[in-house]
Amino acid sequence: MKKLFVVLFALSSWAAFAQAAASVGLTDLMYIPARGTVYGETGVHWDSYRYQAEGTGGIFKRDYSTARQKLGYGISDHLQLNVVYEYRGRGKQNLPGTGDDYNYRGSLNPEVGALYRVMTQGADGYNMDVYGSFSPDLWKAEIGNRHGTAAQGGMVYKAGVRAGKKNGDLEHSAVANLNYYGNTSVDGTGDTSNVKADSYYNLDLRYNAQYNFNPDLWVRGTGRVFTTSEQATKSGGTKTTQDMQYGYGLETALFAMIVPNTLALELGLNWARALDHDGKSAGETVTYASNSYGGAFFNFRYQF
């Protein structure tokens, strides 16, 4: 049965590959570059994260900005390869109950990935893609009250599937992302202890809808739900855990075409909230409450 499934999957994938790809534009939800096309995304994100750690008498705060560059290439009309590089500008993190501020900046680990179109709207009625990526642990990870780096201190694996359809001026898509974060080790600087964290995963489900007001202006809305598995860290002999958490969020963005199907500008806002959940710190129960994320971003998208 397993061999039959593999054969059927291979045959269906080859059949989809043999079909002509549906025409998609630079700002489409299901965009994929044509064969021989180079595409990119260049932008900056500003993010803020807060939660109340009841039982420690403190509020966790993290504020940072991130410059992001993505480059990709269409190997064929159905296969693209891409690489992502991110640099985090000076960020600040405050730990509950300590009153200490931890500053950090620097490169995040690069991300290398691929996307394959297994179904096309022209042949199958809708587009469907599968994709994955890998972030190797390259840069030194440090944390300290004077300086730190933005590197994760471990490897990250991502996989996902998306499906969508375009009907005139209206588009919609559904996306499922599974992210796995390996064990991490972050060196302390100054009087800060080393931090070690166990592996965990995150599942993120999204629904997107986009409307084309005219040939040069689009608006997109996104709703999402997510879950994160139990997390555990150890620093200075103290172990801290967070139970599995669930959350939801919203995102909205506006696309403006600058050069027809060559260069577009995206402006957006995002917000998310994780439900209250428990954990432990030094053996004492801690409730993580009022977990909220917020941010804004701009992004240039282009192809040539």
Side-chain angles (χ1 to χ4, degrees), residues 21-292:
S23 176
V24 292
L26 180 62
T27 61
D28 286 359
L29 291 175
M30 296 296 294
Y31 170 78
I32 183 173
R35 179 179 181 179
T37 298
V38 176
Y39 80 100
E41 297 177 13
T42 303
V44 177
H45 295 235
W46 293 270
D47 296 283
S48 181
Y49 174 37
R50 300 282 189 277
Y51 69 75
Q52 174 77 40
E54 298 177 355
T56 66
I59 297 177
F60 177 96
K61 303 176 183 179
R62 178 185 292 165
D63 301 294
Y64 54 89
S65 61
T66 307
R68 182 176 185 270
Q69 176 64 59
K70 179 178 183 179
L71 287 175
Y73 181 74
I75 301 297
S76 73
D77 289 339
H78 290 259
L79 176 64
Q80 70 176 55
L81 302 179
N82 56 73
V83 61
V84 177
Y85 171 75
E86 294 181 311
Y87 183 89
R88 188 150 292 170
R90 183 174 181 179
K92 180 172 287 189
Q93 175 175 307
N94 180 274
L95 299 180
T98 67
D100 293 332
D101 287 334
Y102 295 86
N103 300 310
Y104 57 94
R105 68 172 67 190
S107 298
L108 279 71
N109 292 327
E111 181 179 329
V112 180
L115 179 146
Y116 178 63
R117 176 144 295 175
V118 296
M119 294 184 178
T120 64
Q121 184 168 331
D124 307 292
Y126 61 94
N127 296 307
M128 177 177 285
D129 303 326
V130 293
Y131 51 89
S133 67
F134 166 65
S135 293
D137 182 18
L138 295 183
W139 318 129
K140 186 175 180 62
E142 295 181 335
I143 185 172
N145 53 10
R146 292 188 176 181
H147 68 86
T149 65
Q152 297 95 319
M155 294 183 288
V156 181
Y157 304 86
K158 298 180 180 180
V161 59
R162 65 177 186 174
K165 189 172 184 177
K166 185 174 183 179
N167 296 305
D169 293 330
L170 181 63
E171 302 174 63
H172 57 91
S173 69
V175 182
N177 295 312
L178 179 63
N179 307 316
Y180 177 82
Y181 302 87
N183 295 335
T184 63
S185 179
V186 181
D187 294 336
T189 63
D191 57 358
T192 304
S193 300
N194 295 346
V195 179
K196 294 185 180 295
D198 294 342
S199 61
Y200 69 96
Y201 70 85
N202 168 268
L203 177 64
D204 193 330
L205 306 177
R206 300 184 178 220
Y207 172 77
N208 305 293
Q210 183 167 288
Y211 184 75
N212 181 197
F213 285 105
N214 62 56
D216 299 317
L217 190 64
W218 296 257
V219 64
R220 172 174 57 82
T222 299
R224 59 184 290 235
V225 293
F226 59 89
T227 181
T228 302
S229 66
E230 179 179 315
Q231 300 176 67
T233 60
K234 188 173 183 180
S235 177
T238 299
K239 184 176 182 179
T240 301
T241 65
Q242 291 192 49
D243 295 344
M244 179 172 282
Q245 54 184 290
Y246 303 89
Y248 54 91
L250 298 170
E251 183 175 301
T252 184
L254 182 71
F255 278 109
M257 190 67 72
I258 300 173
V259 179
N261 211 33
T262 301
L263 176 63
L265 172 64
E266 178 186 18
L267 303 172
L269 299 170
N270 57 65
W271 171 86
R273 182 179 180 87
L275 302 180
D276 294 356
H277 56 282
D278 291 335
K280 288 186 178 297
S281 180
E284 300 293 331
T285 299
V286 177
T287 297
Y288 299 92
S290 303
N291 293 256
S292 63

